[in-house]
Amino acid sequence: MRLRCAVLDDFQRVATRFADWSSLADRVEVVSHDRHFADEDALAAALADADIVVTLRERVPFPATLLARLPRLKLLIASGMRNTVIDYEAAEAHGVTVCGTASSSTPPVELTWALLLGLARGIVEESNALRTQGPWQSTVGADLHGRRLGLLGLGKIGSRVAQVGLAFGMEVSAWSQNLTKERADEVGVALAPSLQDLLAGSDFVSVHLALGDRTRGLLGPAELALLKPTAHLINTSRAAIVDQDALLAALHEGRIAGAAVDVFDTEPLPADHPLRTAPRLLATPHLGYVSQANYTTYYGQAVENIEAYLAGSPVRRLP
């Protein structure tokens, strides 16, 4: 009897297109789920007969309560080599091997700039107007050259976003709790004296921090109030870093020029979520990691992980 492999959140139904699963065909049956299971009961029912699960990023938590309801599960594969929503101790206790895959930081860098440019130049609004016989030129784009780009975080993604900003002729500064002048100098950007200074002095602020105790709610009402009325905020990192209610208030009251977000407190975003109708907002459905190259890596290495597990020598084990 073949093992059953469930692929979660395969919204585009491409898991079997971006990888060659033929080497497993006589041993593993692949079942793709193109809808998100919003609660543990639905997820447990869908995975009841799964021996292997492939999950995308950190969208689906695997707490101890869920793992206890999946007695057949033996191998859990997460895309990326960092996952904070899997209970590793519970997985080990239930005999579940957890593996990861490589993940490129290039796609989120590129999406950050797609959002920043789209927001600055009113691309969606102008395109929609053009296609619906709306007004010809209804917005005036914000310039990048000579403006200040403030980066929260200067890691792998933040530093590459900085390089693009410098290429546009922007003044780039960065801040995080542990950022040093040496690191800022290495990237070629200014070290902001404080979070408050960075927010108050930037024309564009882009978030590139990992979510943790120190960054959760980092940008609350007081911090967003420091932004210029002409400033733009971009978040392709984690929604919880920015207080969602405070962001909505700033957008509705016109206290900032606009925001672009790719991450949300609940994903997929509920149909009645207020961010769906917020003014001055450019939003995308968590596309930061969604690219042909990343999907080729995720699913290709998922196949490799399954082959290695079946051979008795698991690879890319987490944590």
Side-chain angles (χ1 to χ4, degrees):
M1 182 181 294
R2 290 190 299 171
L3 300 176
R4 178 172 284 238
C5 173
V7 180
L8 295 178
D9 291 339
D10 185 15
F11 299 117
Q12 304 94 339
R13 301 194 69 83
V14 294
T16 56
R17 178 158 68 86
F18 280 99
D20 182 2
W21 296 74
S22 62
S23 62
L24 298 170
D26 60 340
R27 294 170 290 167
V28 177
E29 175 191 5
V30 180
V31 179
S32 173
H33 295 280
D34 61 359
R35 69 180 185 89
H36 182 72
F37 298 103
D39 59 71
E40 187 175 300
D41 288 341
L43 189 58
L47 301 181
D49 59 355
D51 305 282
I52 303 165
V53 171
V54 178
T55 181
L56 269 179
R57 307 302 294 153
E58 296 173 303
R59 179 174 286 116
V60 179
F62 279 83
T65 52
L66 174 60
L67 291 166
R69 300 171 70 176
L70 304 175
R72 283 187 54 166
L73 182 62
K74 295 302 177 187
L75 176 62
L76 176 59
I77 301 171
S79 56
M81 292 301 293
R82 179 178 180 273
N83 193 299
T84 61
V85 298
I86 296 172
D87 188 326
Y88 295 105
E89 289 186 6
E92 183 177 4
H94 289 284
V96 179
T97 299
V98 185
C99 299
T101 74
S103 183
S104 172
S105 60
T106 299
V109 172
E110 294 173 350
L111 183 74
T112 296
W113 278 102
L115 289 175
L116 193 155
L117 288 165
L119 184 64
R121 300 302 296 267
I123 298 298
V124 174
E125 183 178 349
E126 294 288 3
S127 176
N128 287 341
L130 183 70
R131 293 166 64 88
T132 58
Q133 299 183 13
W136 184 264
Q137 296 186 358
S138 60
T139 66
V140 178
D143 296 284
L144 303 189
H145 186 86
R147 300 300 191 268
R148 181 170 290 278
L149 171 63
L151 299 174
L152 296 180
L154 201 61
K156 257 196 250 185
I157 295 175
S159 60
R160 296 181 71 175
V161 171
Q163 291 166 2
V164 178
L166 292 170
F168 271 116
M170 302 183 80
E171 298 178 6
V172 183
S173 62
W175 177 90
S176 70
Q177 287 97 333
N178 297 325
L179 184 60
T180 64
K181 186 176 185 305
E182 289 73 23
R183 171 61 179 164
D185 289 345
E186 180 184 323
V187 178
V189 306
L191 174 64
S194 67
L195 171 62
Q196 290 72 22
D197 283 306
L198 181 135
L199 295 174
S202 297
D203 300 291
F204 296 86
V205 174
S206 191
V207 182
H208 302 289
L209 295 167
L211 180 61
D213 292 339
R214 294 192 302 171
T215 59
R216 187 179 299 275
L218 182 69
L219 299 187
E223 288 75 24
L224 293 180
L226 295 172
L227 292 171
K228 303 175 183 178
T230 55
H232 300 78
L233 176 67
I234 301 92
N235 186 8
T236 56
S237 183
R238 290 292 183 269
I241 295 172
V242 180
D243 183 304
Q244 300 296 283
D245 290 336
L247 176 59
L248 279 165
L251 291 170
H252 278 285
E253 294 167 15
R255 287 189 275 110
I256 59 175
V261 298
D262 185 50
V263 287
F264 306 92
D265 49 5
T266 302
E267 297 184 6
L269 199 63
D272 60 350
H273 197 287
L275 281 174
R276 285 188 180 268
T277 55
R280 303 177 183 84
L281 179 69
L282 174 58
T284 49
H286 206 153
L287 300 178
Y289 63 87
V290 181
S291 76
Q292 295 177 10
N294 252 355
Y295 271 30
T296 299
T297 297
Y298 292 168
Y299 295 121
Q301 292 191 1
V303 172
E304 293 174 5
N305 289 349
I306 295 170
E307 289 176 331
Y309 173 80
L310 294 179
S313 302
V315 295
R316 306 185 190 95
R317 297 192 68 163
L318 297 177

